[in-house]
Amino acid sequence: MSERIVIKNLAAHADGPVTVSGWVETVRDQKKVQFVVLRDESGAVQLVNPRNSDAEGVVIADEPAITISSLAQGTFVTATGELKHDERVKLGGIEIKLSSLEVVTEAIAETPIASDSSIDKRLDWRFLDLRRPEQNLVFRLQTTFEHALRSYWVEHDFIELHTPKLMASASESKAELFEVDYFEGKAYLSQSPQFFKQMAQPAGFGKVFEVGPAFRADPSFTSRHATEFTSIDSEISWIDSHEDVMRLHEELLVAGFAAVKEKHGAEIEALFGIEVTVPSTPFPRIPLAEAKRIVAERGYEVPRHDDDMDPEGERQIAAYVRETFGHEFVFLTDYASSIRPFYHMRHADDAALTNSYDLIFNGVEISTGAQREHRVEILEAQARDKGLDPEELDFYLDFFRYGVPPHGGFGMGLARVIMLMLGLSSIREVTYLFRGPNRLLP
Ligand code: AMO
């Protein structure tokens, strides 16, 4: 490795000779001096080159001839010079007076995207789009968020799972299933680790988590749907109801938001104009039926045929919760059995309702959680009730035939959390490489 200093560490470095590497962000040619803004993964610094009598600027390569004036944006260079702290320099109060500049790889002069390019165009050139400081921050804070969740899980004795993504059957709805050729037969891409995180309960693991890919053959083009997304899943034994799952869920989110705020709060405010709020606990909880009444009182009727809450209803209830409780999160609970999967436990006194919830963050659903039905006869009946063939589910039903503790858990879309945390309008902005019905490249 060279002696390169990461740009953000220059601030703490004494005046004197330094070497930095990165890509050219801008070149400003003035009569007596040339300025280059050099950026690396950690930040940007100004390089200065006082012009000598040579009006073309300093030649830094002969064949082909490259001068500082002709450096294309995006060219990767290594620069050596004298670091000087100077409060008058707007960019971080430091500059480097160049003694040498080596071009490592040249960039084509015309950059294919600009700051006002459409999201689709930017995704075509994702590696260039990702050079923007905002984008770099998205993935640094996402790393912090995931790390905080993982620390919580590890400290609380959870076991990490890596469940298979090739499946013999659907794990959520058949409509959203990707089918792939599998030797002589067919396989399906996993829509959720649902069955296998539940399997860890009769396996005696107690508490588990997984952060991994999920696939949904969902043809929608909304700002919150992808055909492949990162799902954050957790499942715990010995719960009394979905209330225990919600408590775990809250604690995880508080850990994640607190870590992000502490490490990146100032940068998020500077680049996104958003103040990250660490949510207070408990988050408000509102049964779905009551939420619909509240929304109706505010003048919005969720379509009658819809047992669920639609996106506008979610926005309305979020507005109510913000006004009433000053909270960005709300658990909508007790969804109707008619719109929940067969594996959700139903209320003991009202089979039309389930021990389940959706978590809404700033008006968008980020998660579904529930207590699971662990009594195999009831589970079988509920599967039949949903038109499923228990024989096809036999491998799953077996989990419940040899002893299993009461359990529950949740699944949460990582991109949705990050999108909403930053006030962005699409998960495409916070997904490293987005996959949608008409995007498989890059
Ligand atoms: P559900 O299907 O509600 O529940 O998914 C859980 C969460 O995953 C995210 N999500 C998506 N994100 C991006 N694109 C998609 N197409 C997409 N589909 C879902 C959302 C959603 O809230 N097995 C259950 C969870 C459980 O009960 O443990 C499940 O998958 O943020």
Side-chain angles (χ1 to χ4, degrees):
M1 293 286 270
S2 68
E3 286 167 32
R4 106 178 162 106
I5 299 173
V6 171
I7 289 174
K8 81 165 183 206
N9 292 341
L10 290 173
H13 202 278
D15 285 2
V18 289
T19 297
V20 289
S21 296
W23 63 91
V24 172
E25 192 167 78
T26 57
V27 176
R28 206 151 39 92
D29 241 330
Q30 291 182 355
K31 240 191 190 151
K32 293 197 174 144
V33 69
Q34 297 171 302
F35 295 103
V36 176
V37 172
L38 186 74
R39 185 173 286 284
D40 73 3
E41 68 275 17
S42 70
V45 67
Q46 175 164 283
L47 312 177
V48 208
N49 186 47
R51 275 183 191 271
N52 45 28
S53 54
D54 177 1
E56 289 306 308
V58 177
V59 175
I60 51 181
D62 289 333
E63 208 35 72
I66 307 174
T67 61
I68 288 183
S69 324
S70 69
L71 279 176
Q73 189 192 17
T75 295
F76 275 74
V77 301
T78 290
T80 299
E82 285 287 310
L83 173 71
K84 194 160 165 261
H85 289 255
D86 180 348
E87 278 177 8
R88 289 168 304 173
V89 180
K90 271 202 201 134
L91 191 60
I94 49 172
E95 61 183 16
I96 297 171
K97 191 173 159 209
L98 279 178
S99 53
S100 75
L101 192 82
E102 182 200 340
V103 170
V104 180
T105 47
E106 249 187 290
I108 294 176
E110 267 80 55
T111 312
I113 51 168
S115 54
D116 60 352
S117 296
S118 69
I119 176 80
D120 255 343
K121 184 96 190 275
R122 287 194 284 114
L123 292 191
D124 287 343
W125 295 96
R126 187 60 166 152
F127 63 97
L128 295 178
D129 189 41
L130 290 171
R131 286 184 186 170
R132 289 187 296 128
E134 299 91 304
Q135 283 293 333
N136 185 282
L137 177 56
V138 164
F139 294 94
R140 278 188 291 122
L141 73 87
Q142 180 176 285
T143 305
T144 301
F145 180 74
E146 285 187 57
H147 183 72
L149 265 54
R150 205 173 281 279
S151 295
Y152 177 98
W153 281 315
V154 171
E155 277 161 25
H156 291 82
D157 288 329
F158 282 66
I159 292 177
E160 179 166 13
L161 300 180
H162 299 288
T163 62
K165 304 306 160 203
L166 285 168
M167 305 269 295
S169 67
S171 36
E172 293 292 331
S173 102
K174 276 196 171 158
E176 298 174 340
L177 211 46
F178 279 119
E179 187 178 288
V180 293
D181 290 337
Y182 196 70
F183 304 102
E184 302 303 307
K186 296 282 177 206
Y188 304 96
L189 297 185
S190 166
Q191 299 154 302
S192 151
Q194 184 63 41
F195 292 165
F196 298 129
K197 66 177 178 171
Q198 280 194 259
M199 190 191 90
Q201 311 310 316
F205 279 21
K207 298 184 276 189
V208 296
F209 72 94
E210 175 164 2
V211 179
F215 304 88
R216 307 265 170 114
D218 186 342
S220 55
F221 288 88
T222 77
S223 59
R224 53 170 101 170
H225 287 94
T227 48
E228 176 177 352
F229 64 97
T230 300
S231 183
I232 298 175
D233 282 84
S234 205
E235 196 76 18
I236 49 175
S237 281
W238 299 114
I239 62 168
D240 293 328
S241 75
H242 52 311
E243 177 58 34
D244 294 320
V245 183
M246 290 191 280
R247 263 202 297 276
L248 163 69
H249 207 151
E250 289 170 339
E251 286 182 16
L252 278 163
L253 283 166
V254 167
F257 274 62
V260 168
K261 188 178 176 72
E262 189 188 334
K263 193 161 177 187
H264 309 284
E267 257 183 300
I268 293 173
E269 220 167 321
L271 292 178
F272 292 97
I274 290 270
E275 191 185 344
V276 175
T277 307
V278 180
S280 57
T281 56
F283 297 180
R285 289 139 164 76
I286 306 179
L288 183 66
E290 192 186 327
K292 284 187 174 180
R293 270 198 301 277
I294 292 169
V295 163
E297 269 168 29
R298 293 172 65 88
Y300 180 72
E301 286 285 346
V302 178
R304 235 170 245 289
H305 62 269
D306 199 351
D307 279 340
D308 208 343
M309 194 61 136
D310 65 352
E312 181 54 27
E314 287 173 356
R315 277 190 286 277
Q316 293 282 343
I317 196 67
Y320 165 82
V321 168
R322 208 174 301 116
E323 288 158 21
T324 316
F325 306 105
H327 215 286
E328 295 179 333
F329 290 85
V330 57
F331 285 117
L332 299 183
T333 63
D334 307 278
Y335 277 69
S337 319
S338 57
I339 53 159
R340 289 311 225 195
F342 75 98
Y343 56 79
H344 281 199
M345 183 177 275
R346 297 179 182 179
H347 280 200
D349 53 359
D350 183 358
L353 296 177
T354 55
N355 281 4
S356 74
Y357 67 86
D358 270 10
L359 178 56
I360 312 295
F361 173 31
N362 280 340
V364 176
E365 176 208 316
I366 57 166
S367 187
T368 297
Q371 177 169 20
R372 321 303 185 185
E373 181 52 69
H374 61 278
R375 296 158 296 183
V376 72
E377 313 77 42
I378 302 177
L379 193 56
E380 257 187 83
Q382 289 185 182
R384 239 182 257 113
D385 203 35
K386 293 273 177 192
L388 302 172
D389 178 359
E391 262 178 41
E392 269 184 40
L393 291 168
D394 219 34
F395 78 98
Y396 172 71
L397 295 172
D398 271 347
F399 303 161
F400 303 85
R401 291 182 175 128
Y402 297 86
V404 59
H407 62 277
F410 69 84
M412 178 165 71
L414 174 62
R416 289 196 191 179
V417 179
I418 304 292
M419 163 181 85
L420 295 159
M421 182 194 277
L422 298 177
L424 296 173
S425 57
S426 170
I427 58 169
R428 292 165 174 78
E429 298 280 2
V430 298
T431 304
Y432 184 60
L433 286 168
F434 173 75
R435 288 290 177 261
N438 55 9
R439 183 168 288 280
L440 281 170
L441 273 174

